[in-house]
């Protein structure tokens, strides 16, 4: 080692990336396009512009430009909480007595408490630039809604959030943070939309799902002049914005001449993972370097590991375009999992393609194992992790323990996407031994997979 590596590697403000990196440009075979559910033809710019802001549609459809400049206004906003530190987990290594070197990129250093602000500010910026009055969205655990309401408050945009009912009830404080930033928050399914009323009548007592909140938010956006819909994960544009995570991580490692062997991230819709791995995957795609890349998902919502690679609806109400992705079926409603941000039935189409091409791996983990890892991490590293992030911790620990057996000093990098202060009900259940590990049966999965659209 040429120089001592600090606990925290900070870049300077000037080193915040000036352009986002678009992995699709380096993919020989591109991810399958979004399809119009009526015609089964690829969605055009005009069709997508009814729902999304125009510049975001351009980014969504851009398979060719590797670098997309980050507007100065967005970079200035990033300066309020970025660059995010890359932390060497010396204390965790010592606790595990592993020869592995573990690093984590910490994205929880902002009030919203997660990486989602990276895309929220970008999407709000383009909405503002288009002269819109406001945006609508869904939120699962509440992190995306919080991030978006912060971004909208900053830019003076109205923000209507449909929040998955189980989270609305479990996380009243999240809701109040959003309202503090001026957003209106409605539990979903609700009776304020046609689709919400339909879902409520078919599944009375449902705790909701991201898929159904998306349908409601889209319905409101399309029917309200001056509004568009924004989504916090899954889409290409979101992965693009999140590439700041990976670009900073890579720059920090390069600064100290460190080469990662394994890159690990939790995967809900795939945005933090897609962002973290972007420059590493880029090198892999161009044949310049090799990395093991691992997606971690909950066993309760195992899109990669037990889902099917097929065209499916992005939402329960089947109003959104079809995306080809690893999916459990848009009618799959996962058991109320405490890692609310990982409850989506599908997965980014870009990551799905990369996984199908064997460019990355995926594992699923049990909820109680995740919380055990989270607690150990909190005790040695100090940061109280979000349950979602703790999926990555769990697998980083597993990989580090494998190194202990083999004596290999691998370099493991994982994404610590956020903090868990609003997840204390889940931590409480874990401490009181009341947490369960619900794993869907094959029959349950088959029930929703059998309803996949025939494309
Ligand atoms: C939303 C969220 C996730 C999962 O979403 P992705 O789009 O898969 O990144 C992970 N961690 C935290 C803290 C989140 O808020």
């Amino acid at each position: 080692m040429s120089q001592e590596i600090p606990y925290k590697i900070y870049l300077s403000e000037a080193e915040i990336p000036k352009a986002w990196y678009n992995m699709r440009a380096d993919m020989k075979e591109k991810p399958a396009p979004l399809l119009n559910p009526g015609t089964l033809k690829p969605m055009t710019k005009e069709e997508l512009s009814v729902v999304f802001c125009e510049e975001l549609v351009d980014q969504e459809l851009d398979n060719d430009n590797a670098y997309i400049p980050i507007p100065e206004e967005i970079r200035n906003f990033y300066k309020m909480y970025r660059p995010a530190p890359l932390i060497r987990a010396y204390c965790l290594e010592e606790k595990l007595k592993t020869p592995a070197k573990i690093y984590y990129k910490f994205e929880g250093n902002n009030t919203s408490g997660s990486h989602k602000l990276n895309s929220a500010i970008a999407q709000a910026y383009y909405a503002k630039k288009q002269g819109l009055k406001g945006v609508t969205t869904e939120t699962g655990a509440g992190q995306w809604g919080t991030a978006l309401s912060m971004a909208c408050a900053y830019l003076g945009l109205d923000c209507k959030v449909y929040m998955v009912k189980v989270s609305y009830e479990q996380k009243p404080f999240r809701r109040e943070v959003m309202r503090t930033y001026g957003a209106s928050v409605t539990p979903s399914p609700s009776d304020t939309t046609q689709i919400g009323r339909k879902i409520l009548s078919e599944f009375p007592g449902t705790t909701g799902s991201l898929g159904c909140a998306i349908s409601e938010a889209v319905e409101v956006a399309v029917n309200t002049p001056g509004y568009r819909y924004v989504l916090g994960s899954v889409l290409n544009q979101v992965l693009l914005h999140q590439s700041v995570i990976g670009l900073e991580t890579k720059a920090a490692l390069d600064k100290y001449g460190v080469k990662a062997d394994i890159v690990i991230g939790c995967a809900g819709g795939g945005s933090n993972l897609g962002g973290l791995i972007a420059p590493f995957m880029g090198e892999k795609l161009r044949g310049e370097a090799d990395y093991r890349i691992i997606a971690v998902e909950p066993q309760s919502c195992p899109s990669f590991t037990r889902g099917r690679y097929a065209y499916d609806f992005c939402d329960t109400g089947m109003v959104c375009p079809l995306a080809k992705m690893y999916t459990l079926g848009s009618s799959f409603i996962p058991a109320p999992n405490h890692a609310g941000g990982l409850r989506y039935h599908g997965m980014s189409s870009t990551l799905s393609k990369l996984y199908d091409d064997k460019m990355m791996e995926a594992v699923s983990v049990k909820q109680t194992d995740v919380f055990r890892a989270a607690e150990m991490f909190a005790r040695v590293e100090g940061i109280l992790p979000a349950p979602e992030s703790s999926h990555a911790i769990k697998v980083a620990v597993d990989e580090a323990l494998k190194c202990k057996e083999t004596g290999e000093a691998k370099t493991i990098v994982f994404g610590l996407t956020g903090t868990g202060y609003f997840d204390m009900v889940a931590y409480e259940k874990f401490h009181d031994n009341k947490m369960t590990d619900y794993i869907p049966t094959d029959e349950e999965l088959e029930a929703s997979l059998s309803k996949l659209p025939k494309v």
Side-chain angles (χ1 to χ4, degrees):
M1 190 161 64
S2 52
Q3 48 186 324
E4 176 100 20
I5 294 174
Y7 271 70
K8 289 190 180 130
I9 308 179
Y10 276 108
L11 299 171
S12 71
E13 229 169 67
E15 289 168 295
I16 295 175
K18 296 197 170 59
W20 292 302
Y21 168 63
N22 177 11
M23 281 187 286
R24 286 169 286 155
D26 285 312
M27 291 170 70
K28 280 191 198 76
E29 280 178 45
K30 308 300 178 189
L34 294 170
L35 298 186
N36 178 317
T39 62
L40 299 184
K41 296 232 166 65
M43 291 289 289
T44 62
K45 180 170 178 186
E46 291 65 36
E47 289 169 332
L48 285 168
S49 301
V50 178
V51 180
F52 300 111
C53 306
E54 273 169 43
E55 276 198 58
L56 293 168
V57 172
D58 289 338
Q59 294 178 1
E60 193 60 31
L61 298 175
D62 189 338
N63 280 338
D64 304 311
N65 292 301
Y67 288 96
I68 293 172
I70 304 176
E72 199 53 39
E73 293 86 340
I74 298 176
R75 256 190 111 243
N76 286 340
F77 186 89
Y78 281 166
K79 286 179 193 167
M80 294 201 288
Y81 67 100
R82 306 198 71 82
L86 181 70
I87 304 174
R88 173 76 184 268
Y90 284 113
C91 302
L92 180 62
E93 291 169 18
E94 199 176 293
K95 167 87 182 167
L96 299 173
K97 302 206 166 21
T98 174
K101 300 177 183 73
I102 308 173
Y103 294 84
Y104 55 95
K105 178 71 167 169
F106 182 47
E107 289 290 327
N109 262 338
N110 67 75
T111 298
S112 76
S114 82
H115 66 287
K116 295 209 170 65
L117 198 54
N118 300 330
S119 184
I121 186 60
Q123 298 195 47
Y125 167 80
Y126 292 114
K128 182 77 182 177
K129 198 173 159 208
Q130 194 174 321
L132 298 178
K133 273 212 289 269
V135 290
T136 72
T137 198
E138 78 300 326
T139 195
Q143 286 96 320
W144 168 246
T146 308
L148 187 69
S149 42
M150 283 176 73
C152 286
Y154 180 77
L155 294 167
L157 282 170
D158 182 40
C159 180
K160 299 186 197 303
V161 180
Y162 282 83
M163 185 170 187
V164 177
K165 194 181 274 167
V166 60
S167 304
Y168 185 90
E169 284 160 4
Q170 272 180 3
K171 298 187 173 186
F173 295 155
R174 268 272 177 228
R175 183 181 76 212
E176 290 317 311
V177 178
M178 287 184 256
R179 293 176 62 196
T180 302
Y181 285 100
S184 67
V185 188
T186 309
S188 167
S190 75
D191 59 10
T192 66
T193 63
Q194 244 179 343
I195 188 69
R197 289 189 291 273
K198 180 161 173 272
I199 292 170
L200 280 174
S201 71
E202 274 176 43
F203 305 97
T206 174
T207 49
S209 70
L210 266 182
C212 86
I214 293 174
S215 303
E216 292 203 88
V218 171
E219 183 182 319
V220 173
V222 195
N223 294 322
T224 318
Y227 281 74
R228 290 292 186 281
Y229 165 71
V230 294
L231 178 61
S233 184
V234 185
L235 295 174
N236 292 331
Q237 56 188 274
V238 186
L239 270 71
L240 177 74
H241 305 146
Q242 294 298 355
S243 68
V244 290
I245 304 173
L247 292 165
E248 283 183 11
T249 301
K250 185 83 176 36
L253 290 173
D254 287 351
K255 209 168 190 168
Y256 287 88
V258 177
K259 155 91 172 55
D261 295 301
I262 310 176
V263 185
I264 301 168
C266 62
S271 75
N272 86 83
L273 179 68
L276 173 67
I277 68 174
F280 301 96
M281 186 59 87
E283 290 191 347
K284 201 167 160 158
L285 287 163
R286 296 188 302 270
E288 296 163 6
D290 199 15
Y291 303 95
R292 266 186 78 202
I293 293 173
I294 309 176
V296 190
E297 57 186 16
Q299 289 194 352
S300 60
C301 194
S303 334
F304 269 137
T305 50
R306 293 175 69 199
R308 198 167 292 161
Y309 187 38
Y311 267 104
D312 191 13
F313 288 96
C314 297
D315 62 324
T316 313
M318 307 183 187
V319 296
C320 291
L322 297 166
K324 187 169 181 189
M325 57 185 175
Y326 275 86
T327 179
L328 298 167
S330 65
S331 61
F332 179 75
I333 296 193
N337 183 295
H338 294 294
L342 305 181
R343 294 181 83 229
Y344 187 60
H345 67 273
M347 186 57 66
S348 140
S349 62
T350 301
L351 293 187
S352 293
K353 174 70 179 147
L354 291 166
Y355 180 65
D356 200 56
D357 288 346
K358 312 258 181 315
M359 295 296 285
M360 54 184 275
E361 307 163 32
V363 292
S364 69
V365 290
K366 270 207 320 230
Q367 181 161 249
T368 47
D369 290 344
V370 165
F371 275 81
R372 215 164 280 126
E375 190 178 74
M376 174 177 65
F377 183 85
R379 289 179 187 179
V380 294
E381 288 291 320
I383 296 172
L384 197 150
E388 292 87 349
S389 323
S390 306
H391 287 66
I393 298 177
K394 161 71 181 140
V395 172
V397 166
D398 287 349
E399 290 296 330
L401 291 175
K402 281 186 208 160
C403 288
K404 185 172 164 178
E405 274 173 33
T406 60
E408 287 171 291
K410 287 191 182 152
T411 297
I412 300 170
V413 177
F414 74 89
L416 190 73
T417 49
T419 47
Y421 303 116
F422 289 104
D423 300 286
M424 285 300 126
V425 173
Y427 274 92
E428 181 186 35
K429 286 222 166 81
F430 174 68
H431 294 141
D432 293 344
N433 286 321
K434 287 186 180 142
M435 181 169 275
T436 52
D437 288 308
Y438 188 78
I439 302 168
T441 62
D442 288 342
E443 290 70 33
E444 276 171 82
L445 294 185
E446 198 43 51
S448 55
L449 286 171
S450 67
K451 291 190 207 123
L452 285 177
K454 309 273 175 287
V455 177

